[in-house]
């Protein structure tokens, strides 16, 4: 595994540990059904951010994607998104301040064997998908 992959794995490890810590401290209620039980989805989700041009088509030069962990209610499926980078930085800060133990982090081998390290969809694939969707919903006034 190269250095970049190891660094990414470490960010994911801290993000998962940080989210599990928050769940253990706060015991959140689902706003839809009131359930206390959640599970962390076993993948990192990439959500693209696009700027749209005057004619309603995405501008390919302004495509970015953020990584998110998804937390889902076991009862009704309500899902919340958590930014991986923010969770990772927050967990590091809590450990440094003594508010969280490093023992709460998942083992590196556990994260490495999981689906979290699957390669993301490329920007080109996302743009193709977005172009297809935006073409399906284009109105006649957008054609000019």
């Amino acid at each position: 595994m190269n250095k970049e992959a190891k660094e990414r794995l470490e960010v994911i490890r801290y993000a998962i540990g940080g989210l599990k810590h928050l769940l253990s401290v706060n015991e959140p209620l689902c706003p839809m059904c009131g359930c206390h039980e959640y599970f962390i989805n076993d993948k990192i989700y990439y959500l693209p951010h696009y700027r749209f041009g005057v004619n309603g088509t995405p501008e390919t030069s302004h495509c970015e994607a953020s990584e998110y962990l998804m937390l889902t209610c076991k009862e009704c499926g309500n899902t919340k998104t958590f930014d991986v980078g923010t969770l990772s930085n927050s967990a590091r800060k809590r450990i440094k301040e003594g508010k969280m133990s490093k023992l709460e982090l998942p083992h590196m081998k556990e994260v490495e064997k999981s689906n979290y390290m699957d390669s993301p969809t490329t920007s080109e694939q996302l743009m193709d998908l977005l172009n297809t969707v935006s073409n399906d919903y284009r109105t006649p006034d957008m054609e000019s």
Side-chain angles (χ1 to χ4, degrees), residues 48-98:
H49 310 270
Y50 297 98
R51 293 182 189 166
F52 288 87
V54 178
N55 63 357
T57 58
E59 295 178 3
T60 57
S61 62
H62 293 94
C63 175
E64 298 174 10
S66 297
E67 296 180 320
Y68 293 92
L69 284 172
M70 302 287 187
L71 183 68
T72 302
C73 173
K74 287 185 178 180
E75 185 69 29
C76 72
N78 184 34
T79 303
K80 299 174 188 225
T81 58
F82 292 85
D83 182 271
V84 168
T86 302
L87 278 173
S88 180
N89 292 336
S90 179
R92 290 173 196 276
K93 182 180 174 188
R94 282 194 302 279
I95 289 170
K96 188 176 180 180
E97 294 171 346

Side-chain angles (χ1 to χ4, degrees), residues 8-24:
R8 182 168 183 273
L9 187 66
E10 191 70 7
V11 168
I12 292 169
R13 178 176 175 237
Y14 274 83
I16 295 167
L19 185 52
K20 286 182 177 180
H21 173 77
L22 290 175
L23 288 172
S24 71

